[in-house]
Amino acid sequence: MEGSEDIYVSHRSPGGTWSTPMNIGAPINTRFSEQSPFISADGKTLYFSSNGHPGIGNFDLFMSRMLDDGTWSEPIDLGRPINAYGDDKFLTIPARGDKIIYASQRANARGDLDLYEAKLPPQFRPGPLTLLAGTVYDKKTHKPVGATIDVNDLKADTKVATYHSNKVTGRFYITLGTGKTYGITAVADGYVHYSDNYTMPDTIPYRELTHDLPLDPIPVFASNEPKTTGGGAGAGGAAGGKAPAGNE
């Protein structure tokens, strides 16, 4: 349909580059318009706005979950009272997943969009996860350190994600799925690597953990090269370079 909009997906490589965007296809996209995609912190729950799927108003908010084979489930309308008769778009959902903030023409289907906050029903919430927060700091000076933090799934032996602590505050926030054991490594120039393991149980829907990452500075050793002196007598000679006179 002329003028319609689709949702595309691009994947970030461990090196930080992005793949060529690919159309996400059915069942997400329709011949009409899909807008405002938002992927939740669990990495598997997609929310978006569409006027192509059956709904209440013009643009409604929908949810779809990634299946085990990498495809997406049939989108579900978030329904009332979240969706209204006008347009509902531009959403965000915190890591806890218990509420949604979005723009809506709730007051007037032909008026401007206003921001609204609503409680997200349990059936529409993202999957369970753990939010790990902390500070990377110098173990001796306790000053914050900007570090690269790699997260690996130890059982699958794969890198899950790469994070960066704030260069000024040293703060970091990492989202971890449940039911897995993760290895976390912090790396910064001039410091010994820091590594630790975390096992996330699958019995808790959401929790927040605080864990700081102290880095040991790499020791700096004195040079082993011999020191040199200048302006003195040469080996076995007197000052001025003259050898001592023998007895006559």
Side-chain angles (χ1 to χ4, degrees), residues 209-235:
L209 296 178
T210 299
H211 189 87
D212 294 335
L213 307 181
L215 299 186
D216 284 306
I218 296 176
V220 178
F221 298 99
S223 174
N224 292 325
E225 295 181 2
K227 295 182 179 180
T228 58
T229 57

Side-chain angles (χ1 to χ4, degrees), residues 56-141:
I56 298 171
N58 184 24
F59 275 89
D60 274 8
L61 295 176
F62 292 82
M63 180 211 70
S64 175
R65 299 189 192 275
M66 181 179 285
L67 305 177
D68 292 339
D69 62 0
T71 61
W72 294 95
S73 66
E74 194 67 31
I76 301 174
D77 192 298
L78 297 189
R80 297 177 181 174
I82 294 176
N83 287 319
Y85 287 110
D87 290 345
D88 299 287
K89 302 179 178 181
F90 313 122
L91 70 145
T92 186
I93 297 173
R96 183 181 294 274
D98 58 344
K99 66 180 179 180
I100 180 173
I101 301 171
Y102 64 107
S104 176
Q105 288 178 317
R106 179 174 304 276
N108 183 351
R110 296 185 178 181
D112 295 331
L113 291 165
D114 289 327
L115 290 178
Y116 288 84
E117 178 178 317
K119 183 177 180 180
L120 197 61
Q123 67 269 28
F124 298 137
R125 294 178 184 178
L129 57 85
T130 294
L131 178 65
L132 181 67
T135 302
V136 182
Y137 65 92
D138 186 303
K139 194 172 182 178
K140 290 187 176 181
T141 66

